Amino acid sequence: MAHRTYRVTVRGRFDGLDDGTRDRLRREAAEHDMLVARFVDEGTLTYDERIDAFQHRVVVRVDEGTGEEDVARTAGELAAVEYLEAAGLRYGRLRSSATCVDDVKIRRR
């Protein structure tokens, strides 16, 4: 079966962060700046100095077929949850979008 590659962006809000966690996120902010964000297998977390909302960007590969975009979004959300929980970050209101890179057309000039 053929595979398709998706770039998934999961957006959400930090929830119930204590002062210590907020301080840690402020110290690590340069590593999570939007300008260094990439779509990679392990995922990239970005947020701004307000430490309110975040984005998690990840590449997922799914089997080609009916409902593959939903499968990709679900896999992306699961990757975001695993990343956030491993980092000890509480979150809420997740929503996601997915783009299949196999369908992207590049115009050459």
Side-chain angles (χ1 to χ4, degrees):
M1 178 170 272
H3 288 81
R4 308 221 333 133
T5 303
Y6 281 82
R7 289 181 170 183
V8 181
T9 301
V10 179
R11 292 170 182 80
R13 299 221 172 256
F14 292 114
D15 183 37
L17 300 179
D18 60 31
D19 290 340
T21 303
R22 285 187 174 280
D23 290 342
R24 174 174 56 99
L25 290 175
R26 281 187 192 95
R27 287 191 307 273
E28 297 173 355
E31 301 168 30
H32 299 281
D33 187 85
M34 185 67 75
L35 297 176
V36 296
R38 300 175 303 147
F39 286 94
V40 292
D41 291 337
E42 63 274 8
T44 301
L45 180 69
T46 64
Y47 53 87
D48 64 17
E49 68 276 352
R50 291 177 296 161
I51 309 175
D52 179 38
F54 63 84
Q55 287 187 13
H56 185 263
R57 297 176 179 193
V58 65
V59 172
V60 296
R61 290 162 191 80
V62 298
D63 292 336
E64 184 176 31
T66 305
E68 68 187 50
E69 184 175 331
D70 290 335
V71 172
R73 284 199 330 266
T74 299
E77 290 176 13
L78 179 58
V81 166
E82 290 172 351
Y83 185 101
L84 292 162
E85 290 181 354
L89 300 172
R90 295 179 59 196
Y91 56 89
R93 297 192 272 178
L94 296 181
R95 60 194 188 288
S96 61
S97 60
T99 301
C100 182
V101 297
D102 301 322
D103 294 339
V104 175
K105 298 192 185 329
I106 300 173
R107 293 185 193 181
R108 305 274 184 209
R109 290 183 183 223

